[in-house]
Amino acid sequence: MNFAERKFRALSNQNKTREGSPTGALRDLSAVGPNYPHEPPKVKCETQVYHPNIDLEGNVCLNILREDWKPVLTINSIVYGLQYLFLEPNPEDPLNREAAEVLQTNRRLFEHNVFKAMRGSYIGETYFERCLK
């Protein structure tokens, strides 16, 4: 694990939130990028989450990890961007189209699905492991 990875893990663990909050999944994110800071880190969510911008394989859709990356951005920038993404999901740029559609058509059902998934349950045909203590 290189310095950037260790710092990312430390910051994501430091930024854990209260139980029941979707941002609690940040504790299981990993960053792998030997060319950091010249290329954005590869960020994956190791815990499967119900989120329009994170697919079931853990790939994260965040603009600063793609086209808006600049070497001056720090690991802190990424953690804050991820926290914002958990608090304000973007259904306009989805990796999980089903979650995005639910968010756009019925926000209350979307929030219910998020908490149901975090407690360990099925959403449709997908089982989500419990990620709350």
Side-chain angles (χ1 to χ4, degrees):
M1 189 180 303
N2 65 33
F3 175 74
E5 289 177 275
R6 286 193 307 275
K7 183 169 182 174
F8 186 84
R9 282 215 182 260
L11 285 170
S12 61
N13 285 332
Q14 187 179 63
N15 285 300
K16 286 182 190 174
T17 59
R18 72 188 191 296
E19 185 173 320
S21 170
T23 57
L26 280 176
R27 72 177 184 277
D28 289 324
L29 288 166
S30 62
V32 179
N35 296 325
Y36 173 82
H38 302 290
E39 293 179 10
K42 308 290 186 222
V43 176
K44 253 200 155 33
C45 186
E46 295 172 358
T47 298
Q48 196 174 44
V49 295
Y50 181 80
H51 193 286
N53 308 111
I54 302 173
D55 67 20
L56 298 177
E57 287 77 41
N59 298 305
V60 178
C61 181
L62 182 63
N63 62 334
I64 64 170
L65 294 174
R66 299 180 317 191
E67 70 274 0
D68 291 344
W69 177 255
K70 294 173 182 61
V72 297
L73 292 173
T74 65
I75 298 296
N76 285 350
S77 304
I78 297 167
V79 171
Y80 292 131
L82 292 167
Q83 284 181 319
Y84 184 77
L85 191 65
F86 275 102
L87 295 171
E88 293 294 331
N90 179 6
E92 301 300 321
D93 191 17
L95 287 178
N96 181 337
R97 294 191 188 286
E98 178 185 323
E101 185 178 320
V102 173
L103 176 58
Q104 287 179 318
T105 60
N106 188 340
R107 185 168 185 101
R108 194 171 203 171
L109 176 60
F110 172 78
E111 291 172 358
H112 173 76
N113 287 347
V114 168
F115 289 109
K116 188 175 168 186
M118 292 180 73
R119 284 190 222 96
S121 187
Y122 279 93
I123 306 297
E125 295 182 15
T126 304
Y127 181 75
F128 293 85
E129 294 286 329
R130 182 181 180 93
C131 64
L132 293 177
K133 293 181 181 177

